[in-house]
Amino acid sequence: MDFKNRNIVGAFWCSIEGLKILFKEKAARRELLLFPLSVVYIIVFQPAVLFMVLLLVLPLLIISIEAINTAIEYICDEITMDESNKIKKAKDLGSAAIFLSLTAYGGVFIIGLFY
């Protein structure tokens, strides 16, 4: 059944299909581990509310960025599997976005220890 863009329920099911695709990727499954890490951190260190919120929201943003990065990689691979400098740049930029978001998470994690 094709639910694509017909209504909010259809959009929901498209999102679920996207999540199924995303969590077949190793990187996304690794990033999903940030949630239990955040929960343990919150229980053990009991940081300020701001840090708790950041530790719970940042993993969602990281996984969202991973979804976009994965989409970029799928599109690039569909265009060509041959070496291409522009496609390499597109994939590297997606990877950089993930790196920066993980760096932000790590920064919040570390700063929360000393706040």
Side-chain angles (χ1 to χ4, degrees):
M1 182 178 234
D2 182 21
F3 294 105
K4 193 173 186 176
N5 297 322
R6 294 213 177 137
N7 55 40
I8 195 164
V9 174
F12 170 79
W13 287 111
C14 287
S15 297
I16 296 299
E17 289 303 313
L19 289 172
K20 288 178 186 177
I21 294 165
L22 179 63
F23 290 118
K24 289 180 183 175
E25 301 289 326
K26 277 186 186 179
R29 289 194 310 267
R30 280 192 306 263
E31 290 154 2
L32 194 58
L33 294 175
L34 294 176
F35 280 110
L37 176 64
S38 291
V39 170
V40 169
Y41 181 98
I42 289 167
I43 290 169
V44 171
F45 295 105
Q46 300 178 352
V49 173
L50 172 65
F51 287 99
M52 283 191 246
V53 170
L54 288 172
L55 287 167
L56 295 173
V57 170
L58 281 173
L60 285 174
L61 290 175
I62 291 167
I63 291 169
S64 298
I65 294 167
E66 182 62 49
I68 294 167
N69 184 45
T70 300
I72 290 168
E73 290 182 359
Y74 281 170
I75 290 167
C76 289
D77 291 347
E78 184 66 25
I79 292 169
T80 183
M81 292 299 288
D82 296 336
E83 285 191 33
S84 164
N85 191 40
K86 288 185 178 180
I87 286 181
K88 181 184 181 323
K89 286 179 182 178
K91 288 183 174 187
D92 288 350
L93 287 166
S95 180
I98 295 294
F99 173 76
L100 291 171
S101 63
L102 287 168
T103 300
Y105 178 83
V108 167
F109 198 91
I110 291 167
I111 291 169
L113 292 173
F114 301 103
Y115 188 76

